[in-house]
């Protein structure tokens, strides 16, 4: 390598090094800004939205109601992740419910029956119904399970699940209520209240073997499968309560 090539090589090395430092500084700055913004945003919540863990967590074996969620991925790290987890955990402890957000081993969950469900990132979405079915079948003393997506929060922590159950049963006018969810533009599975009954367990087993060909976007596939399972079975329709957009706040808060 002659001197000209050597100088050019050295120059390129310096450019790459400087560019790497600049990128690192920019990313670090953005991370700091993001954390500051998250801290500021969280501080704007009323105090009751930032409940501390006031009671020890009860074992799921000793409770009749469980709050269930999954927190996986980068967004659940740092301040925001801690807030999202502690918000749900604090609510469960306050009302003496079980709090569960740790998935069991995949082999302990019901296998996905349809090959379409195993493509791309779809298995991640189907963790929800598989997890809920696993808990219902393992802990038969559980009477109700409240599922809340990981990126959702509880905004009215002093309203108990029991109070809401009573209101939903009055709205449904039946003792065989098995599932409550709410409608945005379509049924939304981000927050679901499920009775641990044979009908509910069968509904979830059916959903895990139901592929909805009309799910155009192929994104929220578990939601589409649950919707299709209910729509195709009169028994599931009769025992489920779909809240209208105007009443969705009764569940989604």
């Amino acid at each position: 390598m002659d001197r000209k090539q050597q100088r050019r090589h050295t120059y390129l090395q310096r450019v790459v090094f400087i560019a790497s430092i600049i990128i690192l500084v920019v990313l670090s700055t953005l991370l700091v800004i993001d954390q500051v913004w998250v801290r500021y945003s969280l501080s704007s919540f009323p105090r009751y939205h930032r409940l501390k863990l006031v009671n020890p967590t009860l074992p799921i074996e000793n409770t009749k109601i469980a709050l269930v969620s999954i927190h996986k991925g980068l967004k659940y790290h740092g301040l925001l992740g801690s807030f999202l987890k502690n918000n749900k955990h604090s609510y469960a402890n306050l009302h003496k419910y079980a709090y569960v957000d740790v998935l069991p081993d995949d082999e302990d969950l019901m296998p996905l029956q349809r090959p379409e469900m195993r493509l791309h990132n779809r298995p991640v979405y189907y963790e929800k119904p598989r997890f809920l079915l696993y808990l219902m079948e393992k802990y038969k003393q559980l009477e109700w399970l409240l599922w809340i997506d990981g990126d959702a929060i509880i905004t009215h922590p002093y309203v108990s699940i029991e109070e809401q159950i009573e209101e939903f049963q009055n709205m449904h006018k039946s003792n065989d209520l098995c599932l409550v969810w709410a409608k945005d533009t379509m049924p939304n599975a981000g927050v679901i209240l499920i009775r641990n009954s044979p009908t509910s367990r069968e509904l979830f087993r059916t959903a895990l073997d139901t592929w909805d060909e009309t799910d155009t976007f192929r994104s929220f596939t578990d939601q589409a499968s649950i919707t299709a399972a209910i729509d195709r079975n009169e028994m599931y329709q009769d025992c489920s309560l779909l809240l209208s957009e105007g009443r969705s706040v009764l569940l989604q808060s």
Side-chain angles (χ1 to χ4, degrees):
M1 181 182 299
D2 58 29
R3 289 184 177 181
K4 186 176 180 179
Q5 289 178 320
Q6 189 173 8
R7 284 197 300 269
R8 184 179 179 183
H9 182 71
T10 302
Y11 172 76
L12 289 174
Q13 283 183 319
R14 290 176 179 175
V15 169
V16 170
F17 175 75
I18 294 172
S20 300
I21 295 297
I22 292 173
I23 292 172
L24 183 61
V25 170
V26 170
L27 290 175
S28 300
T29 303
L30 290 174
L31 181 61
V32 170
I33 293 173
D34 179 68
Q35 290 300 298
V36 170
W37 177 251
V38 168
R39 185 181 294 275
Y40 171 76
S41 299
L42 297 184
S43 68
S44 67
F45 278 84
R47 184 174 300 277
Y48 60 75
H49 288 178
R50 292 178 276 130
L51 287 169
K52 294 184 178 179
L53 302 180
V54 293
N55 296 317
T57 302
L58 292 174
I60 192 171
E61 297 88 351
N62 299 340
T63 58
K64 293 184 178 181
I65 297 177
L67 192 155
V68 187
S69 189
I70 298 176
H71 299 95
K72 292 173 66 176
L74 290 175
K75 67 179 176 181
Y76 297 114
H77 293 278
L79 289 173
L80 181 58
S82 296
F83 172 77
L84 291 168
K85 287 183 264 190
N86 288 342
N87 172 267
K88 303 178 187 71
H89 200 169
S90 300
Y91 175 78
N93 286 1
L94 181 67
H95 294 281
K96 298 184 179 180
Y97 307 141
Y99 174 73
V100 191
D101 71 344
V102 179
L103 278 167
D105 293 335
D106 191 71
E107 56 266 25
D108 293 329
L109 302 175
M110 177 177 168
L112 293 174
Q113 303 300 310
R114 297 295 194 90
E116 301 97 332
M117 297 177 176
R118 297 191 288 270
L119 297 176
H120 312 301
N121 66 335
R122 293 173 193 163
V124 174
Y125 292 104
Y126 281 101
E127 285 177 345
K128 178 193 303 183
R130 296 172 75 205
F131 191 17
L132 288 167
L133 180 59
Y134 166 84
L135 293 173
M136 286 191 284
E137 291 182 332
K138 183 172 182 179
Y139 302 102
K140 295 293 178 60
Q141 93 289 344
L142 283 176
E143 295 179 2
W144 292 91
L145 297 89
L146 177 65
W147 168 271
I148 303 180
D149 275 356
D151 56 0
I153 63 168
I154 294 166
T155 57
H156 293 83
Y158 298 115
V159 178
S160 70
I161 294 174
E162 291 92 335
E163 292 176 74
Q164 297 304 91
I165 290 171
E166 184 177 355
E167 184 163 2
F168 294 146
Q169 287 179 325
N170 289 335
M171 293 169 62
H172 192 248
K173 298 179 181 179
S174 170
N175 292 325
D176 65 349
L177 179 64
C178 67
L179 181 143
V180 183
W181 56 344
K183 184 177 182 179
D184 296 329
T185 55
M186 60 187 298
N188 190 326
V191 181
I192 318 177
L193 181 64
I194 311 109
R195 183 198 292 271
N196 189 9
S197 67
T199 304
S200 299
R201 295 192 289 272
E202 185 58 36
L203 190 162
F204 276 80
R205 280 191 288 269
T206 302
L208 286 166
D209 193 21
T210 301
W211 178 254
D212 184 13
E213 295 294 343
T214 65
D215 182 21
T216 308
F217 297 102
R218 298 290 193 267
S219 52
F220 300 106
T221 46
D222 65 302
Q223 185 168 284
S225 290
I226 294 172
T227 302
I230 293 174
D231 288 346
R232 298 172 189 177
N233 188 301
E234 188 174 343
M235 179 176 64
Y236 302 152
Q237 293 175 32
D238 290 342
C239 76
S240 61
L241 175 63
L242 179 62
L243 300 173
S244 64
E245 292 185 58
R247 290 184 169 183
S248 62
V249 67
L250 295 173
L251 180 67
Q252 297 176 340
S253 62

